[in-house]
Amino acid sequence: MFDTMSHRKYYHRYLLWLLHKHQHCRRAIQQIHSQFMVLNSEYIGILALWNSILKHYSLSAYPQEALFLFKYLKNQSKFMSFDSFTYSYLIKACANMNQVHVGNQFHCLSTKAGFDYHVHVQTALVNMYIDCGGLVEAKNVFDEMPEKNLVTWNVFITGFMKWGEVEFARAVFDAMPEKNVISWTGLIDGYTRINRFREALLLFQKMVVHEGIKPTEVTLLAIFPAIWNIGCLEFCQMVHAYGEKSGFNTLDIRVMNCLVDAYAKSGSIESAWRVFEDINDVRRNLVSWTSIISAFAMHGMATKASDCYRRMENEGVMPNWITFLSVLNACSHGGLLDEGLEYYRKMVDDWGITPNIKHYGTLIDMLGRAGRLEEAERIALGIPSEIGNVVIWRTLLGACSFHGNVEMGERVTIKIMEMEREYGGDYVLLSNIFSAAGRFLDSERVRSVMDEQNAPKVPGITLV
């Protein structure tokens, strides 16, 4: 008998080990699940095994399977009791399904089972209600919790930040009895996502300098958009130095790629290039190459951008639509028309990438700058209607104005008016085209139509 019990315990431990080993493999979990179903009577009461399967299903792309399994277990054994892990996983499944009404049912079941004051179950409920948009319910659960841990506070704050309740989330953050790097990172990321970049930078500075909390690589990734949107070179250098000292630059390629972007957008293409060159050849990925190509394009260094693309291709890295958009932008602003057209051909014919509206816009801009307006118009007319927009035609109208093509300018304006009549800049541009050609009566007529349509003209500003 003891041998049989010992064998069963060993086999149970082995099954648990298998579940943990293959927790991210759906097919393996399903096979183990099927094995349990075959040996139903022997395994129905071993909750740890079923909880492992529930956990996998709740975090997978098919969270509804966790609910099906729970229903099966309830039907198989009326006397089977479930623990805090069971309810936490099931509530997480409801969050991932965005099914607040099902989550409500598990809220009631967990309360009935005696977990109404259990910190892990209640934290799962707070997370579920926030993910499903039930902010009032989330606040009620949070307020009624007699005990809260750091995870509870962080889930609550980051959730409210996600829904744009910034001032409330900040007030809760300030009231926290204890904060860790996750608390700070959640708030910084929230401010960055709503474009309050200076506040994000001030929070980061306060966290590091005044509170002495060391940022993680996730914190750095959260603060980078604030750095490059403000263009703060000094802050970029500080984060770069910290990344070097802490080892994040070596360990996380995402930090290095963001540094390339941040330096370029803060005005230092030399630093961006140095960071790119510091990345080991083996670690460089498509994002690394696209970032440096985009950096050169941004700084008007079209030849450098083109050279980087060729070097990337020679190293066997496969470009995507963003890579081609970056190199096309570089060619457009650098006057490399023939190279730009070749890159466009290569994108479509060699790599099979379908152009999107941004590619078309860049191509039309490139042809327009070179004065090849007829080609640009043909491409604009050939854009699929489901992705076409007025910006394409405004780009072409700008080229008509620059090159003084009155006839095409009229045709393009008609196209624009079919899509949108309320933007005064379109009327002004056509009026200026007529004036430059000496057709002053037509120019006045366009201005009169603009007044009749009550189309506002964006006022100019001066810093003097």
Side-chain angles (χ1 to χ4, degrees):
M1 183 181 75
F2 289 110
D3 287 343
T4 305
M5 287 178 64
S6 176
H7 175 73
R8 283 183 179 176
K9 285 182 180 179
Y10 172 79
Y11 192 50
H12 295 168
R13 284 197 295 270
Y14 173 69
L15 288 173
L16 273 172
W17 175 79
L18 277 179
L19 285 166
H20 289 304
K21 181 183 178 183
H22 299 290
Q23 61 182 307
H24 300 299
C25 180
R26 172 176 162 79
R27 188 171 180 180
I29 296 291
Q30 286 181 319
Q31 288 175 347
I32 298 170
H33 184 175
S34 299
Q35 179 70 10
F36 288 176
M37 303 281 272
V38 172
L39 303 170
N40 178 49
S41 59
E42 185 176 349
Y43 292 102
I44 193 67
I46 305 172
L47 188 58
L49 295 176
W50 293 113
N51 276 345
S52 295
I53 298 177
L54 280 171
K55 178 183 179 182
H56 165 80
Y57 287 152
S58 67
L59 299 175
S60 74
Y62 304 93
Q64 64 272 18
E65 292 182 354
L67 308 187
F68 297 151
L69 176 56
F70 175 76
K71 187 176 180 180
Y72 166 80
L73 293 172
K74 288 274 286 184
N75 291 335
Q76 288 297 310
S77 176
K78 294 180 181 179
F79 302 103
M80 186 175 183
S81 60
F82 301 97
D83 61 13
S84 60
F85 293 104
T86 312
Y87 287 107
S88 296
Y89 298 147
L90 290 167
I91 292 164
K92 181 62 181 173
C94 296
N96 289 340
M97 292 166 60
N98 200 31
Q99 294 285 343
V100 70
H101 63 285
V102 183
N104 267 324
Q105 293 175 31
F106 282 110
H107 187 173
C108 296
L109 282 173
S110 63
T111 301
K112 188 177 178 181
F115 296 110
D116 45 334
Y117 293 118
H118 194 285
V119 66
H120 298 307
V121 176
Q122 297 302 299
T123 299
L125 283 168
V126 170
N127 177 70
M128 182 272 296
Y129 281 124
I130 287 175
D131 280 358
C132 297
L135 303 187
V136 173
E137 292 87 348
K139 186 177 183 302
N140 289 340
V141 173
F142 182 84
D143 289 341
E144 291 171 8
M145 289 176 68
E147 179 193 353
K148 304 176 182 74
N149 59 20
L150 266 171
V151 176
T152 314
W153 287 94
N154 291 338
V155 163
F156 193 65
I157 290 166
T158 55
F160 272 78
M161 285 296 285
K162 184 183 78 171
W163 287 101
E165 299 291 337
V166 181
E167 307 311 326
F168 177 75
R170 181 60 188 269
V172 175
F173 174 83
D174 291 336
M176 282 181 75
E178 180 189 354
K179 304 176 183 72
N180 63 5
V181 68
I182 298 172
S183 319
W184 288 91
T185 301
L187 205 64
I188 289 166
D189 183 59
Y191 276 120
T192 302
R193 288 177 185 276
I194 59 170
N195 302 329
R196 288 167 65 169
F197 304 118
R198 294 193 183 278
E199 286 164 280
L201 291 176
L202 287 172
L203 268 174
F204 182 87
Q205 197 169 29
K206 184 178 179 182
M207 179 189 78
V208 176
V209 177
H210 300 291
E211 301 297 328
I213 296 176
K214 294 181 178 179
T216 65
E217 64 271 31
V218 178
T219 318
L220 299 187
L221 294 171
I223 199 62
F224 273 124
I227 294 171
W228 66 54
N229 274 284
I230 289 178
C232 185
L233 183 58
E234 185 180 347
F235 224 102
C236 190
Q237 291 166 335
M238 182 185 76
V239 171
H240 186 183
Y242 177 78
E244 285 289 330
K245 186 178 178 180
S246 60
F248 293 145
N249 295 357
T250 305
L251 296 172
D252 198 325
I253 186 63
R254 295 174 302 171
V255 173
M256 293 295 275
N257 292 340
C258 283
L259 274 170
V260 173
D261 267 343
Y263 271 126
K265 290 172 181 174
S266 299
S268 181
I269 188 63
E270 297 83 5
S271 298
W273 177 246
R274 278 197 299 272
V275 170
F276 177 79
E277 287 285 87
D278 284 343
I279 302 173
N280 186 285
D281 288 349
V282 178
R283 293 178 63 234
R284 274 191 201 127
N285 58 19
L286 176 60
V287 178
S288 314
W289 286 103
T290 301
S291 295
I292 195 62
I293 291 169
S294 178
F296 282 129
M298 192 187 310
H299 285 261
M301 302 168 73
T303 304
K304 285 277 191 185
S306 186
D307 290 344
C308 274
Y309 176 86
R310 283 193 290 269
R311 187 175 154 192
M312 179 195 77
E313 241 187 9
N314 290 337
E315 293 192 14
V317 179
M318 184 184 297
N320 63 9
W321 72 268
I322 302 173
T323 316
F324 278 109
L325 182 63
S326 298
V327 78
L328 285 171
N329 266 318
C331 293
S332 177
H333 292 284
L336 302 180
L337 177 63
D338 292 335
E339 281 192 56
L341 292 175
E342 174 59 19
Y343 281 125
Y344 183 80
R345 183 206 64 76
K346 189 177 288 195
M347 178 184 80
V348 176
D349 296 340
D350 296 353
W351 293 101
I353 296 172
T354 303
N356 63 31
I357 196 64
K358 292 183 179 180
H359 295 118
Y360 284 120
T362 305
L363 186 62
I364 288 167
D365 180 58
M366 183 163 52
L367 289 166
R369 287 170 185 263
R372 290 164 65 166
L373 301 182
E374 288 75 17
E375 288 178 67
E377 187 180 25
R378 269 200 310 275
I379 289 168
L381 288 167
I383 294 173
S385 58
E386 60 269 17
I387 66 169
N389 64 28
V390 73
V391 177
I392 292 292
W393 293 102
R394 284 185 180 137
T395 302
L396 186 53
L397 184 61
C400 293
S401 175
F402 182 81
H403 293 285
N405 192 321
V406 181
E407 290 75 16
M408 187 180 292
E410 286 186 273
R411 290 199 302 274
V412 170
T413 303
I414 290 169
K415 276 285 185 185
I416 292 172
M417 293 302 124
E418 289 172 359
M419 299 179 185
E420 184 183 328
R421 292 176 172 270
E422 291 77 28
Y423 181 62
D426 301 325
Y427 297 93
V428 171
L429 206 52
L430 182 61
S431 174
N432 291 343
I433 293 173
F434 281 137
S435 293
R439 292 170 57 176
F440 300 110
L441 288 176
D442 289 328
S443 175
E444 284 300 317
R445 177 176 54 80
V446 171
R447 294 274 181 170
S448 298
V449 172
M450 181 178 78
D451 292 338
E452 288 170 11
Q453 293 290 334
N454 198 26
K457 179 190 171 189
V458 178
I461 60 170
T462 177
L463 299 177
V464 179

